[in-house]
Amino acid sequence: MPKFDSHFRMGEADAAEYARYRLPRFAASKRLEAKEIGDGNINFIFRVRDLDSGDSVIVKHADADTRSGSRTLGFDRNRIEAEILKMEGELAPGLVPEVYDYDPVMACLSMEDLSDHVILRYELIKHKIFPRLAADISDFMARTLVPTLDMVMDPVKKKELVKRYTNPPLCAITEQLVYTEPYTNKPGRTKVFPPNAAFAQEELFSDTDLHLEVAKLKYAFMNDAQALIHGDLHSGSIFVREDSTKVIDPEFAYFGPIGYDVGNVIGNFCFAWANARVTMGEGATGAAGKDSYIGWLEDTIVATVDLFKAKFLALYKASATDPMGRTPGYAEWFLSTIIADTAGVAGLEMIRRAVGVAQVKDLTSIEPAEARARAERIVVLAAKAYIKDRRNYREGRDFLRALVEASLREKRNLC
Ligand code: SR1
Ligand code: MG
């Protein structure tokens, strides 16, 4: 159809027409409805539904500029997302949405509608428990990360994939938003909650020891092409149902440090912990009581790290092909560096979501203001411990211990 022979930014009516033209399942549909349901900064997300059969799909549509209009990113992220989702679907069946179609002309990725799932971040804010979360997310990470390691994959094929998944504009966003702006405090590039202005000045903008550690982590993000990572594995990229977990949105994927994925997951669980700590009264009702919710969250933080470690080691040992990579002790050494990176990245994610331009509702929705200020101070103090002491982190309980200590320090007003 000539209308879709060259790219333009679609509205809802265009998306319905597009789905009928492009997707065989809707070719004969009489009544198609498209609704734009995106709430992110970057893409346009349409849910297209056949009003007669009830069948529905998601069409993720990219424009050259971001949805917010603040950047020009080009279209390649859409290809990367389609290819990575397919790859992840093969490596970790059932843990990502099914891809139906990728159209490079219209920059559209058509995939499974996960309407029966909900976004993890918003459920954690409601203090809901998802018993499978640690098992599923550790599974997803181990299964998707190990196969593209140099010691596992044929090194020539790996380097070809590094070229195919170089993702400069999306990596530039991360390098700025995660690894730079929360420390340089340029006008308009941080959003410090006013009651914490003096705290942020002292703990973040003036702490040059912290800046040195962030610089080291930034260099690793820019250069350490360990594995093909998701690149944006926060709790808004995870859909959940009581009995199911699905990871979405790998448009930031590139070859980078494995700890970037694991650290994002842990950092986002820490937001949920800080939220619950300051908002749940004793005997809180809602989805779960305070003790059971925080207990589950703490178990989830610990188990995510420990299960990831166990699964990573088992998969690595079963699949490493490089003779030197099979040297006894190598896998354990490599994993110890991943756990240190995980701590560092969890800290970076926590700081950037507290004071950077892309904040999270886990913190910003907290009321009253004093409770939000407390939660953000807990997060920043724990984050600094994660970054500065990262080389001493070995297992899940190390992450929890630093979080609890940060909360106690904040309570005693020792910051
Ligand atoms: C301009 S994009 C802001 C943030 O949203 C994405 O999900 C990434 O986390 C990015 O840093
Ligand atoms: Mg996203």
Side-chain angles (χ1 to χ4, degrees):
M1 195 190 237
K3 176 167 180 177
F4 301 112
D5 281 356
S6 60
H7 184 276
F8 67 97
R9 181 152 97 53
M10 294 196 296
E12 290 179 339
D14 304 311
E17 202 180 336
Y18 173 82
R20 185 179 288 106
Y21 147 78
R22 181 82 191 181
L23 303 173
R25 66 202 291 156
F26 293 138
S29 297
K30 300 264 180 311
R31 296 190 305 140
L32 277 185
E33 173 196 79
K35 284 213 178 324
E36 211 279 310
I37 56 166
D39 68 350
N41 295 313
I42 302 184
N43 301 292
F44 299 87
I45 316 291
F46 298 99
R47 174 175 290 130
V48 184
R49 193 187 301 274
D50 181 324
L51 294 174
D52 297 307
S53 70
D55 187 20
S56 61
V57 303
I58 295 296
V59 177
K60 185 166 183 175
H61 173 51
D63 198 7
D65 293 342
T66 54
R67 180 195 177 100
S68 61
S70 58
R71 286 170 193 264
T72 299
L73 297 179
F75 300 108
D76 202 34
R77 65 186 191 275
N78 202 242
R79 170 191 69 84
I80 289 179
E81 177 163 353
E83 293 182 7
I84 300 294
L85 271 180
K86 282 190 204 159
M87 205 183 292
E88 289 172 345
E90 282 160 23
L91 295 171
L95 292 173
V96 293
E98 189 182 340
V99 173
Y100 302 133
D101 183 58
Y102 164 59
D103 172 2
V105 174
M106 287 302 296
C108 282
L109 165 58
S110 301
M111 61 188 143
E112 183 181 354
D113 180 8
L114 298 174
S115 292
D116 56 343
H117 290 64
V118 279
I119 296 174
L120 176 61
R121 184 180 310 289
Y122 301 125
E123 300 311 297
L124 293 177
I125 292 171
K126 292 182 213 154
H127 307 137
K128 293 221 176 120
I129 287 174
F130 292 90
R132 296 174 59 108
L133 188 56
D136 281 351
I137 203 69
S138 58
D139 228 32
F140 173 83
M141 293 190 291
R143 284 169 185 263
T144 58
L145 295 168
V146 170
T148 50
L149 284 170
D150 297 75
M151 299 298 195
V152 172
M153 178 171 265
D154 171 74
V156 173
K157 186 170 177 210
K158 188 222 154 158
K159 287 170 186 72
E160 280 162 7
L161 286 187
V162 172
K163 279 196 276 183
R164 187 166 183 85
Y165 298 111
T166 299
N167 197 349
L170 283 289
C171 284
I173 291 179
T174 304
E175 287 156 19
Q176 289 163 15
L177 270 59
V178 179
Y179 287 90
T180 309
E181 291 169 358
Y183 308 95
T184 52
N185 193 25
K186 292 275 184 317
R189 300 306 300 171
T190 47
K191 288 200 284 186
V192 178
F193 191 44
N196 282 342
F199 170 84
Q201 182 61 48
E202 184 181 337
E203 298 288 345
L204 297 175
F205 309 140
S206 306
D207 186 344
T208 51
D209 292 342
L210 176 68
H211 297 184
L212 176 58
E213 296 310 313
V214 174
K216 294 174 192 171
L217 288 161
K218 182 173 183 179
Y219 186 77
F221 181 84
M222 292 166 140
N223 290 285
D224 200 352
Q226 286 178 349
L228 187 48
I229 67 170
H230 177 284
D232 199 25
L233 197 43
H234 56 77
S235 53
S237 298
I238 302 173
F239 268 69
V240 282
R241 219 174 47 189
E242 179 109 353
D243 61 344
S244 166
T245 307
K246 304 266 187 193
V247 174
I248 62 163
D249 266 9
E251 66 189 322
F252 281 75
Y254 85 115
F255 272 85
I258 288 176
Y260 194 79
D261 278 357
V262 191
N264 259 276
V265 169
I266 298 301
N268 278 267
F269 289 167
C270 292
F271 300 137
W273 188 91
N275 176 303
R277 204 82 202 77
V278 304
T279 63
M280 292 184 88
E282 300 309 324
T285 51
K290 182 177 188 177
D291 290 346
S292 52
Y293 179 70
I294 291 187
W296 167 74
L297 207 42
E298 293 183 347
D299 290 347
T300 300
I301 291 170
V302 173
T304 298
V305 174
D306 294 344
L307 287 173
F308 170 75
K309 284 181 64 182
K311 292 172 185 179
F312 178 94
L313 268 189
L315 259 179
Y316 181 91
K317 288 184 175 177
S319 53
T321 54
D322 186 284
M324 301 313 293
R326 297 181 66 82
T327 304
Y330 174 80
E332 289 77 6
W333 168 80
F334 183 55
L335 181 57
S336 73
T337 70
I338 292 173
I339 298 307
D341 288 349
T342 295
V345 171
L348 292 161
E349 170 72 358
M350 288 155 73
I351 289 171
R352 73 100 164 206
R353 298 294 192 182
V355 303
V357 289
Q359 306 204 329
V360 286
K361 289 223 164 64
D362 316 50
L363 299 174
T364 58
S365 68
I366 296 175
E367 284 179 341
E370 177 46 27
R372 173 175 168 188
R374 279 193 55 215
E376 294 190 2
R377 288 195 296 269
I378 293 170
V379 161
V380 167
L381 292 174
K384 289 186 65 175
Y386 284 2
I387 293 171
K388 289 184 166 181
D389 304 337
R390 65 189 181 282
R391 291 182 195 84
N392 297 320
Y393 283 58
R394 308 263 178 274
E395 53 197 1
R397 63 182 173 180
D398 297 330
F399 289 79
L400 182 58
R401 189 184 307 118
L403 192 55
V404 172
E405 278 170 12
S407 177
L408 292 172
R409 273 189 69 201
E410 195 284 331
K411 201 169 190 175
R412 287 193 229 110
N413 216 359
L414 293 177
C415 41

